[in-house]
Amino acid sequence: MPLEELDRAAEQVLRDNDRGRYTVPTDILYPFQWNWDSAFAAWGFSRFDIPRAWVELETLFAAQWENGMVPHMIFHEAALGYFPGPDVWGTGREPPTSGITQPPVAATMVRAVYQADPGQGHPHADRLFEPLLRWHRWFMTERVEDGMVAITHPWETGRDNAVDWDAAMAAVDTTGVAEYKRRDLEQVAAEQRPTKAEYDRYLAMVYFGRESGWDEAAIRERGPFRVADVGMTFILLRACRDLRALADVLGRPTEEIDGWIAKLQAGAGNHWNPDGYYDSRDLRSGDFVGALGNAGFLCWYAGIDNDRMRAHFERICGRVRYTVPSLDPDHPEFDPLRYWRGPVWAVVNALVGIGLAEAGHGALADRVRRDTRALIEGAGFHEYFSPTDGTAAGGGHFTWTAAIWRAWASPQAEGGI
Ligand code: GLC
């Protein structure tokens, strides 16, 4: 498809997946509102319909919990057969939500939408500022350990089946998990999705949360899984910087946010694997997980430059046709089509590319943007792509891939936040 047509086609994907006050990631496979998908959708909408972008973000924050947590899924409408649905989560909320969170890209996207038209955006950013602050405060009090962000379920990271979680997942007891039917396998080939063993463990973690009444202290002390995710730490650090910039333009105090930035910046050092790269850590064992991938390459996006990470990035550029693979192709578990164990995801590419450009690594930033463009041109607005040959995988007509095209990858887009 010619480039100009792709701009219009991306807009159409966002319109088709628009359910009025929120967008679904894609019809059928993901029929609800997802947290970080929505933030990216807002960024995409901001290129052609700024009021609709604000609606997306405001709907997301309307589902915020009293403790400040913003859930990873909001079940606005019943979708028969979706698994795990509201009953499994048992959070007792209206509209129903899941009981876990997702990567906090929202502050960054609020800032991006604000910048698209500051005059129009001011009252919206002003209204969203306090909810954003409360969400970040929830992370800092409930989840930050040694300056790193702890996750209680792999789904919180948005990188569901990444190799990062394998060792910690292996220790999760699944004896209480009864038979269930997965709907995802009706839509997507099994070899492109997580395995049954992984799914059983995901459910065991959900059951623990539900039985604890989604009590953070109980989950922290006795929960089956607690890993410090390098991706979440970098994303929260960046989001705090953007929240601080918003505080400045809105005339709000910045001291508390400055304290968070300092803490997370120090925490990034605790993600440094002595083997020479940023890595996640199992907080139960203290072990590094040994998985270099696209999450670690968010260091620049978080404002941290690092020569060894750049050298790894350059090595990987030479190993794949399309950057940025979700896992190092030299890792034994690398699989170019299995979800977060190898494929390229346009949303993470945008964040990595923006970070590289801001850090002054222009040639690498251009490579990431060109590759993302080529993948979408070649295969359409798919959920993810093979880094080896660009094969499209997962769901099609995907909101966030279209949003990234419109906001960042298209030659018409500005390429920054
Ligand atoms: C999958 C992805 C997650 C995303 C969701 C909806 O679970 O791993 O990152 O938010 O789908 O697109």
Side-chain angles (χ1 to χ4, degrees):
M1 200 184 280
L3 290 178
E4 352 26 287
E5 275 180 40
L6 272 172
D7 277 5
R8 277 194 299 279
E11 212 167 301
Q12 196 55 48
V13 170
L14 288 171
R15 295 288 189 209
D16 290 346
N17 292 338
D18 185 354
R19 297 292 177 270
R21 296 193 58 78
Y22 67 97
T23 48
V24 295
T26 188
D27 204 19
I28 305 174
L29 183 61
Y30 299 117
F32 310 106
Q33 184 176 22
W34 263 259
N35 186 321
W36 72 327
D37 297 67
S38 256
F40 287 114
W43 192 27
F45 275 121
S46 75
R47 299 298 199 231
F48 61 94
D49 186 346
I50 293 174
R52 182 61 188 77
W54 287 117
V55 168
E56 187 78 25
L57 291 160
E58 283 159 3
T59 307
L60 175 63
F61 279 90
Q64 182 168 33
W65 287 20
E66 287 68 27
N67 66 1
M69 201 268 282
V70 182
H72 104 290
M73 286 173 75
I74 306 152
F75 301 96
H76 292 283
E77 281 172 35
L80 230 66
Y82 183 86
F83 188 85
D87 306 349
V88 181
W89 290 98
T91 58
R93 306 191 59 91
E94 198 41 54
T97 72
S98 68
I100 57 173
T101 197
Q102 246 191 344
V105 292
T108 302
M109 296 308 152
V110 165
R111 185 175 176 211
V113 178
Y114 168 82
Q115 279 169 345
D117 183 343
Q120 193 183 145
H122 196 280
H124 297 281
D126 203 51
R127 266 200 302 278
L128 284 169
F129 184 81
E130 201 58 39
L132 284 166
L133 197 70
R134 290 181 46 234
W135 188 23
H136 286 210
R137 193 179 289 133
W138 173 83
F139 269 112
M140 298 306 299
T141 50
E142 300 292 354
R143 294 301 189 80
V144 170
E145 292 180 23
D146 295 330
M148 303 179 287
V149 178
I151 53 142
T152 61
H153 194 297
W155 288 343
E156 290 199 309
T157 69
R159 301 185 295 120
D160 304 12
N161 68 334
V163 162
D164 306 45
W165 331 127
D166 286 3
M169 287 261 286
V172 175
D173 176 12
T174 57
T175 45
V177 178
E179 279 303 297
Y180 56 91
K181 184 162 166 46
R182 284 171 64 178
R183 191 169 167 189
D184 59 324
L185 297 182
E186 292 164 16
Q187 309 293 324
V188 179
E191 61 278 9
Q192 295 179 17
R193 297 285 305 177
T195 62
K196 169 158 167 49
E198 284 164 340
Y199 234 82
D200 287 351
R201 290 175 168 80
Y202 297 150
L203 290 175
M205 295 176 225
V206 172
Y207 295 158
F208 183 93
R210 181 182 64 195
E211 274 146 33
S212 78
W214 298 103
D215 175 39
E216 284 294 329
I219 298 171
R220 176 165 43 245
E221 281 149 32
R222 299 190 306 282
F225 180 93
R226 202 163 185 86
V227 178
D229 171 25
V230 67
M232 289 288 258
T233 300
F234 285 150
I235 287 173
L236 183 62
L237 173 51
R238 169 58 185 248
C240 284
R241 296 191 200 282
D242 288 314
L243 191 62
R244 194 198 186 286
L246 282 170
D248 268 342
V249 295
L250 297 169
R252 309 278 190 133
T254 55
E255 294 75 19
E256 186 180 16
I257 308 173
D258 285 334
W260 297 342
I261 293 171
K263 204 177 228 170
L264 293 166
Q265 213 161 280
N270 296 328
H271 278 292
W272 187 255
N273 184 321
D275 288 343
Y277 55 92
Y278 287 116
D279 197 9
S280 298
R281 289 182 80 163
D282 185 341
L283 289 170
R284 298 275 189 249
S285 66
D287 293 345
F288 284 95
V289 304
L292 173 63
N294 58 357
F297 292 125
L298 292 170
C299 57
W300 298 288
Y301 173 74
I304 298 172
D305 198 3
N306 183 290
D307 287 347
R308 296 190 68 183
M309 289 302 286
R310 195 172 41 132
H312 279 299
F313 199 85
E314 283 164 350
R315 169 177 57 81
I316 288 174
C317 282
R319 292 276 287 110
V320 294
R321 163 64 190 88
Y322 300 98
T323 55
V324 182
S326 40
L327 182 63
D328 186 341
D330 290 323
H331 191 288
E333 286 292 317
F334 173 77
D335 179 342
L337 283 179
R338 196 180 280 278
Y339 220 37
W340 292 94
R341 300 172 82 91
V344 178
W345 293 73
V347 280
V348 182
N349 274 19
L351 307 185
V352 172
I354 285 168
L356 283 166
E358 288 174 355
H361 304 308
L364 296 176
D366 287 348
R367 166 84 196 258
V368 176
R369 195 153 168 235
R370 257 187 291 116
D371 287 355
T372 313
R373 198 175 284 166
L375 283 169
I376 295 175
E377 257 185 277
F381 302 107
H382 259 269
E383 188 178 4
Y384 47 94
F385 307 87
S386 158
T388 319
D389 61 9
T391 302
H397 218 65
F398 223 86
T399 293
W400 68 9
T401 310
I404 291 305
W405 177 268
R406 211 56 183 72
W408 176 77
S410 160
Q412 294 345 309
E414 282 151 33
I417 286 186

